[in-house]
């Protein structure tokens, strides 16, 4: 059994407060098996407290209770969202000079104090945060060199370890880092040795196309680095500028919002994300967010982005008191010769088929009449999209 304290940065607050105690149990082979969580009473009494996990850890009626993840999930998904995925795990294994897989709590411990969203994981109720020093754009060349070593499974040379030491590990498979630029934070997405085309350039172009189509996209930049390497920057939407500096915003993936086990994710649909918006968003946001979600689905169809899994959609906690759809991220066309393409999530009555007529069958689930969907959304998105026929 391993115990950790879950801290949270409440809206507008620079310092995190302890929210509760997480207990992780392992099986006979010492592998992570299950988790339980109990909120602290002091936290529950706060007027500004919010749910650590909006699905598995609602605060109402939680006093004095030990809670478990919904739907037989091994871990609380919102806490899992604050841990690294494939890439960040490799960074941590490389930093610690230990071959993976490591125990789950080690990845949670080492994701850094500037990890995704507003949660932090610490050994004790009174533990200080880990020191976090974000590299700047000037240091990107070193970060790229270190990332190449990590991808190749080689130890990062001592002179480069410094650059990956203090930074947070975000989710996702691709090589990346977080950098600070003029008091703001950007996710820097690197090329990968397995790329068949210039992914950072294409990702940036696709995101800018989405912006032209009227979708909500964070600021992006493209940097040309030595040796023909390209890096794409996308501003973090889980950080908020305030006069006192950046504060953190709670964020969860759509996987968390739907309470879904990752293996079951391909059986889920865009309509279910729309239903989650109806349940969780403040009334003032529901219509706009469902419309945005429908438009993103159509956009993914038109650009053939088949990597639209449930970790590539997210919600962030809004000051108005609810969960709103995050801006768009991780949208890259998947090259294919086939005329019959599928998305990852179910689109409409024709299943995953990446066809606009399929998308239109589900318009009602997004609160849209079919005619509305055609005139407002399909026609808005399509003119900005490339001819992919
Ligand atoms: N602009 C952003 N602001 C805040 N968090 C972000 C942003 N972009 C990405 N993230 C977070 O980082 C994670 C990884 O980013 P992203 O999905 O772009 O990486 P990836 O490696 O291409 O992912 P995948 O494994 O899906 O291909 C996301 O799941 C999300 O939690
Ligand atoms: Mg992703």
């Amino acid at each position: 059994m391993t115990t950790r304290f879950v801290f949270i940065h409440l809206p507008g607050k620079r310092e995190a407060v302890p929210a509760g105690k997480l207990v992780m149990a392992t099986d006979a082979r010492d592998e992570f098996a299950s988790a339980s969580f109990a909120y602290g009473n002091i936290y529950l009494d706060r007027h500004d407290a919010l749910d650590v996990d909006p699905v598995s850890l609602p605060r109402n009626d939680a006093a004095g209770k030990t809670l478990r993840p919904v739907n037989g999930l091994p871990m609380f998904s919102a806490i899992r969202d604050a841990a690294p995925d494939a890439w960040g795990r490799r960074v941590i294994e490389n930093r610690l000079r230990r071959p993976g897989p490591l125990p789950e709590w080690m990845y949670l411990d080492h994701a850094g104090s500037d990890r995704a969203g507003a949660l932090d994981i610490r050994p004790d109720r009174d533990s200080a945060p880990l020191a976090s020093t974000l590299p700047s754009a000037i240091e990107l060349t070193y970060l790229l060199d270190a990332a190449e070593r990590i991808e190749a499974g080689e130890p990062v040379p001592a002179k480069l370890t410094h650059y990956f030491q203090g930074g947070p590990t975000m989710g996702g498979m691709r090589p990346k880092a977080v950098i600070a630029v003029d008091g703001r934070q950007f996710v820097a997405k690197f090329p990968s040795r397995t790329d068949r085309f210039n992914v950072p350039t294409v990702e940036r172009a696709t995101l800018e196309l989405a912006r032209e189509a009227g979708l909500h996209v964070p600021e992006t930049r493209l940097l040309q680095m030595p040796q023909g390497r390209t890096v794409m920057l996308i501003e973090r939407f889980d950080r908020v500028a305030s006069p006192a500096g950046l504060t953190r915003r709670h964020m969860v993936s759509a996987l968390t919002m739907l309470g879904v086990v990752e293996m079951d994710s391909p059986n889920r649909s865009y309509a279910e994300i729309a239903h989650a918006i109806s349940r969780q968003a403040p009334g003032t946001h529901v219509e706009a967010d469902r419309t945005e979600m429908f438009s993103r689905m159509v956009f993914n169809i038109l650009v053939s982005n088949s990597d639209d899994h449930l970790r590539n959609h997210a919600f962030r906690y809004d000051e108005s008191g609810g969960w709103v759809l995050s801006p768009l991220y991780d949208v890259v066309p998947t090259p294919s010769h086939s005329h019959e393409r599928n998305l990852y999530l179910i689109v409409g009555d024709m299943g995953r088929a990446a066809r606009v007529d399929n998308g239109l069958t589900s318009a009602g689930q997004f609160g849209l009449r079919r005619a509305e969907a055609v005139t407002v959304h399909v026609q808005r998105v399509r003119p900005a999209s490339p001819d992919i026929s």
Side-chain angles (χ1 to χ4, degrees), residues 85 171-173 176 189 307 309 311-312 329-330:
D85 292 325
M173 301 269 290
K176 62 177 75 59
K189 296 192 69 178
D307 194 31
H309 55 77
R311 282 192 196 286
N312 279 339
Y329 61 93
D330 203 8

Side-chain angles (χ1 to χ4, degrees), residues 209-216 292 380 384:
L209 199 61
R211 189 193 314 285
E212 278 186 41
L215 300 183
H216 187 192
E292 169 88 11
R380 183 181 79 175

Side-chain angles (χ1 to χ4, degrees), residues 263-303:
M263 292 230 311
D264 193 31
S265 159
N267 301 320
R268 317 317 290 215
S269 63
Y270 276 96
E272 286 172 271
I273 305 181
H275 299 160
I277 293 170
S278 308
R279 283 195 303 275
Q280 299 279 359
T284 44
H285 282 256
V286 172
E287 192 184 333
D289 281 4
R290 288 193 311 199
T291 302
E292 169 88 11
M293 198 65 238
F294 181 79
S295 304
R296 288 185 192 179
M297 177 177 78
V298 172
F299 186 78
N300 284 337
I301 291 171
L302 293 171
V303 301

Side-chain angles (χ1 to χ4, degrees), residues 81 85 116 170-176 187 189 203 218 234-238 251 307 309 311-312 328-330:
D81 285 338
D85 292 325
M170 304 289 284
M173 301 269 290
R174 293 188 59 80
K176 62 177 75 59
V187 179
K189 296 192 69 178
E203 180 167 354
I234 180 164
E235 184 166 20
R236 289 186 74 169
F237 50 72
D238 56 345
M251 138 181 154
D307 194 31
H309 55 77
R311 282 192 196 286
N312 279 339
L328 189 69
Y329 61 93
D330 203 8

